[in-house]
Amino acid sequence: MQYFYRLHLYYLFLITTLLLAPMGIVAQGGVGTLPSTSVNEVSLANCPHLLYIPLIPGTGTFRNVAPLSVNDPPDIEPANQPLYPLAPEVTRKLQNVPVITSTLVFSVATSLWENPSPDPSGLDLYGPHSVIVSDSEVNERGAINNIWIFDLESRQVQTSTSTIVNNISTEPTDVAIANDGTIIITDDVRRRIISAELDQDGNLVEINAFHTTFYGSIDPEGVDLFEGADGLYLVTADAVSNTIYTHHAGPNGFFDGPCSPGDDSVQQFDAGQLGFLQPGGVYAIADEVGTGVTYYLVGDPDRDHINVVYAKDGVAELVRKIDIGILDQYKKMAGIVVMANGQIVLVFRNVDNDSNPNENDGILAVIEPASQ
């Protein structure tokens, strides 16, 4: 019976992916010289008639949410996805994308931390001069601590904790911080978006979560939160479907996905039509009037640049790339945040623990892009 249930979800994902595929290329301003794609609303017609319990508040606070018990859907292991060739028209337009240079401010080896991070994958700002870092592979080394607070001024780890201890996630792929300090976590093994907070003992505990598989996202990796003109938004990046999802809470006031009983409005765009695949890290900033959003994305096959996408009025356009300079010697750029002074913090996983559980070669770095 479990086999048939897994098979049902697998085919459901395939059908949903086909139905949600963008229908064409729309160029911003009618110019059409840069890679662009349409931003589409996730259709409720594509949601399955399956009951799941999602709860993450979207009204500015993530606290005091009564947890509900629900069985996780079975894991759906995506096949190893080859990087398919980009469309010739996309490849041609990539030549028109401006490239911004950058200089290295500093870099540190996360492998040298007291509790090492061999594969740092998640990143977000944590106060004015600190970042929070997550590692999705420490479990393969038999380690426990996989969340760190790192001070960018002293260049030292301030504290660390674990998502493994309370069975929140063995592989926290990315992290984002809400205004009240609640930690949002993507789990690309259990296909969930999780909200968690620290208990009195300094351990993370889960508040609630919702599953992403039911609306076609089977590999949620990047995550971020940003304030728009009409409230809080949740952004996720799916590395298998090459899709960026932007969630806005519906009338119930919770981030809970677009499928019933959730009522989020969720928009999506295809990163592949912008010239890059497998987006693994995302940082989003709304413009001052709140009508447009700038997304900073890292993904394949180009790991030497940060992709800067601007979305407005139903169109997402790759407006520039930021060259990471000498950091291109490292592999698997995974997490990204942009600080108020314009500097960019990055983490690199390098060799994946899947192939070598004993490797320990993670890197955190800060770059400063040239004036744009």
Side-chain angles (χ1 to χ4, degrees):
M1 183 67 181
Q2 187 179 22
Y3 169 79
F4 287 106
Y5 183 58
R6 287 172 177 261
L7 191 63
H8 167 74
L9 287 178
Y10 174 73
Y11 282 114
L12 175 64
F13 165 72
L14 291 179
I15 293 171
T16 303
T17 301
L18 290 173
L19 289 173
L20 295 183
M23 298 304 292
I25 301 291
V26 181
Q28 182 175 344
V31 178
T33 59
L34 299 177
S36 59
T37 187
S38 57
V39 179
N40 302 315
E41 194 83 13
V42 173
S43 173
L44 297 180
N46 297 322
C47 292
H49 297 291
L50 298 175
L51 178 64
Y52 68 109
I53 305 298
L55 278 182
I56 295 181
T59 54
T61 176
F62 283 77
R63 295 188 183 278
N64 301 321
V65 180
L68 299 177
S69 175
V70 62
N71 293 326
D72 290 336
D75 290 345
I76 306 172
E77 293 297 336
N80 291 329
Q81 180 184 342
L83 292 176
Y84 59 77
L86 297 173
E89 180 69 6
V90 174
T91 302
R92 182 185 65 80
K93 290 183 178 181
L94 283 173
Q95 300 174 8
N96 302 324
V97 178
V99 178
I100 307 299
T101 60
S102 65
T103 55
L104 177 64
V105 179
F106 74 87
S107 64
V108 297
T110 62
S111 58
L112 299 180
W113 291 349
E114 181 178 357
N115 294 302
S117 173
D119 279 282
S121 58
L123 193 64
D124 198 11
L125 294 174
Y126 194 86
H129 54 80
S130 296
V131 290
I132 184 170
V133 180
S134 69
D135 190 307
S136 62
E137 304 293 335
V138 301
N139 56 304
E140 295 174 1
R141 302 179 73 242
I144 297 296
N145 284 37
N146 56 7
I147 299 284
W148 298 263
I149 306 300
F150 180 81
D151 188 285
L152 296 169
E153 291 187 342
S154 67
R155 303 183 187 181
Q156 298 290 327
V157 172
Q158 300 301 302
T159 185
S160 63
T161 187
S162 172
T163 62
I164 298 175
V165 171
N166 290 319
N167 194 32
I168 298 173
S169 170
T170 57
E171 297 194 359
T173 312
D174 199 4
V175 288
I177 301 297
N179 290 334
D180 67 351
T182 299
I183 301 175
I184 309 305
I185 301 166
T186 52
D187 187 321
D188 67 350
V189 173
R190 297 172 71 184
R191 323 300 186 224
R192 303 196 305 161
I193 310 297
I194 304 161
S195 65
E197 61 183 4
L198 293 171
D199 63 15
Q200 293 181 345
D201 297 322
N203 297 316
L204 281 170
V205 292
E206 182 176 317
I207 305 174
N208 258 298
F210 69 89
H211 298 287
T212 64
T213 52
F214 297 125
Y215 57 98
S217 177
I218 67 169
D219 191 28
E221 293 197 5
V223 67
D224 193 29
L225 293 163
F226 71 90
E227 286 286 346
D230 54 350
L232 192 65
Y233 284 79
L234 171 73
V235 180
T236 59
D238 191 291
V240 166
S241 65
N242 304 313
T243 303
I244 308 301
Y245 296 95
T246 302
H247 307 65
H248 190 252
N252 69 9
F254 295 94
F255 287 128
D256 49 14
C259 301
S260 179
D263 65 353
D264 289 356
S265 60
V266 181
Q267 293 188 325
Q268 60 176 17
F269 63 85
D270 182 356
Q273 294 191 34
L274 299 178
F276 60 95
L277 307 173
Q278 296 182 351
V282 57
Y283 191 79
I285 305 172
D287 58 27
E288 292 184 358
V289 294
T291 57
V293 181
T294 300
Y295 299 86
Y296 292 79
L297 299 157
V298 294
D300 285 319
D302 179 7
R303 291 285 184 175
D304 299 335
H305 299 88
I306 299 163
N307 300 279
V308 183
V309 175
Y310 184 68
K312 184 178 180 180
D313 298 332
V315 177
E317 187 173 59
L318 180 62
V319 293
R320 63 185 176 275
K321 286 175 171 282
I322 301 174
D323 192 314
I324 64 173
I326 64 173
L327 295 176
D328 63 4
Q329 64 185 297
Y330 302 118
K331 301 175 182 178
K332 293 191 176 180
M333 181 167 47
I336 179 170
V337 295
V338 181
M339 296 189 292
N341 63 3
Q343 293 180 348
I344 298 175
V345 190
L346 303 165
V347 290
F348 297 81
R349 296 178 57 185
N350 279 316
V351 176
D352 196 305
N353 278 64
D354 282 338
S355 59
N356 180 5
N358 295 318
E359 68 80 22
N360 186 19
D361 59 1
I363 297 291
L364 181 147
V366 178
I367 64 172
E368 183 162 355
S371 299
Q372 303 172 17

